[in-house]
Amino acid sequence: KGGAWDTLSAGFPSGTIRDLVRYNSKVYAIFADAIYGYDFSNRSWMQYASIPSAMTSVAFNDSVILGTNSYSLWRSTDKGNTWSSPQKGLTNFVGYIYESGEHLFFLEQWRGFYLSSDDGRNWQQQNNGLTPSSSYYDLETIGDTLFLSSGGGGIFRSFDMGLSWTSVGFQGYNLGDLACNGKDLVAINGGGGIYLSTNLGLSWADLTPRINPSLLTQFHLTNALFIGDTILTGYRALQGTGILKSTDLGENWKKIQF
């Protein structure tokens, strides 16, 4: 939970990590030409799959790997041995893929939300209730409830797998990174603040003023991660860059020491 850090470099290739994905209690690192999985028993990385084109986002379920880069969607049903590019319902896109149970979601930066219920073969755009002029940034799920952050439109919620969306706050504001722990949701806004909802978006608490000025001044929070009830958030400040940690849902914060 961020209390201590270790270097996990055995078997790790050189190059830039484009994404980290957690699926079925495993962690995968996405590189330009391959996906590596971490073996916790041997404390080493092993190549899981080769990929045909540099990918920026990858999602898994029990039968398929989906990956995307600028304007291309790739799909593999044999753990990356072979790939196809179906793209039915998706054209000229920039975005990220998400997985939730039997459903796969795609969030396109300018066009909104897409759903696939057949392992990524076909995609349906579902933007009913979303602000048409917004750009779209992130997606999170709590059970069957979806949350979507947007630029200028705030945060939207769907109870029906994206068939319809309603606003749950921050209209007119740019919202970026979302994170959840299965029951609570935090959101980072464009101004670098952090907000918490414990009731599926019905209300939001501004956690930003609870960050003690003795820790940081003139700071901008960049992203967030939930691990159980622990919140981790990256920051830029006069003191430099780093990570803050809260174990009580944002009431108190401390810096993580590396």
Side-chain angles (χ1 to χ4, degrees):
K1 298 181 179 180
W5 293 81
D6 193 10
T7 301
L8 306 176
S9 57
F12 206 64
S14 60
T16 301
I17 300 174
R18 297 169 179 264
D19 196 12
L20 284 174
V21 179
R22 183 173 55 191
Y23 178 68
N24 279 351
S25 301
K26 295 182 179 180
V27 176
Y28 299 89
I30 314 305
F31 290 83
D33 58 355
I35 301 172
Y36 281 75
Y38 187 70
D39 186 334
F40 284 92
S41 60
N42 294 323
R43 293 178 60 85
S44 64
W45 294 87
M46 298 181 62
Q47 183 170 324
Y48 177 78
S50 297
I51 53 181
S53 180
M55 294 182 183
T56 55
S57 176
V58 171
F60 297 77
N61 68 18
D62 290 336
S63 59
V64 67
I65 310 172
L66 286 177
T68 181
N69 57 14
S70 296
Y71 310 116
S72 296
L73 175 72
W74 296 91
R75 180 176 183 271
S76 175
T77 58
D78 55 10
K79 295 186 177 181
N81 290 317
T82 59
W83 294 83
S84 62
S85 186
Q87 296 190 203
K88 294 180 180 178
L90 288 175
T91 57
N92 296 327
F93 56 81
V94 178
Y96 293 90
I97 298 173
Y98 303 83
E99 172 272 333
S100 179
E102 63 185 23
H103 298 287
L104 291 164
F105 310 122
F106 185 83
L107 192 61
E108 206 281 331
Q109 183 174 0
W110 307 114
R111 294 180 180 144
F113 178 84
Y114 293 77
L115 168 69
S116 175
S117 299
D118 59 2
D119 289 339
R121 297 181 185 87
N122 297 277
W123 296 85
Q124 296 82 41
Q125 186 179 33
Q126 297 180 167
N127 286 346
N128 182 29
L130 295 180
T131 305
S133 60
S134 291
S135 54
Y136 306 99
Y137 291 126
D138 201 6
L139 187 74
E140 275 289 357
T141 62
I142 297 179
D144 291 333
T145 303
L146 308 182
F147 295 89
L148 183 155
S149 64
S150 70
I155 296 178
F156 296 88
R157 180 182 64 195
S158 175
F159 289 129
D160 52 15
M161 286 296 161
L163 290 175
S164 60
W165 297 89
T166 56
S167 173
V168 289
F170 306 100
Q171 295 95 330
Y173 289 87
N174 295 327
L175 270 293
D177 203 39
L178 301 176
C180 73
N181 62 357
K183 60 183 188 301
D184 307 309
L185 183 72
V186 294
I188 303 292
N189 73 359
I194 185 169
Y195 297 82
L196 169 72
S197 177
T198 59
N199 53 14
L200 297 181
L202 291 177
S203 61
W204 295 87
D206 186 357
L207 305 182
T208 317
R210 302 175 191 177
I211 299 174
N212 195 308
S214 65
L215 281 180
L216 296 176
T217 52
Q218 296 185 29
F219 62 87
H220 184 105
L221 304 181
T222 56
N223 49 18
L225 174 68
F226 255 121
I227 304 176
D229 288 333
T230 298
I231 305 172
L232 303 178
T233 179
Y235 67 82
R236 299 193 302 268
L238 286 180
Q239 293 86 346
T241 61
I243 298 175
L244 292 179
K245 172 184 176 180
S246 174
T247 58
D248 53 11
L249 293 182
E251 289 294 331
N252 297 280
W253 296 86
K254 65 180 182 179
K255 290 181 182 177
I256 289 179
Q257 303 298 324
F258 292 94

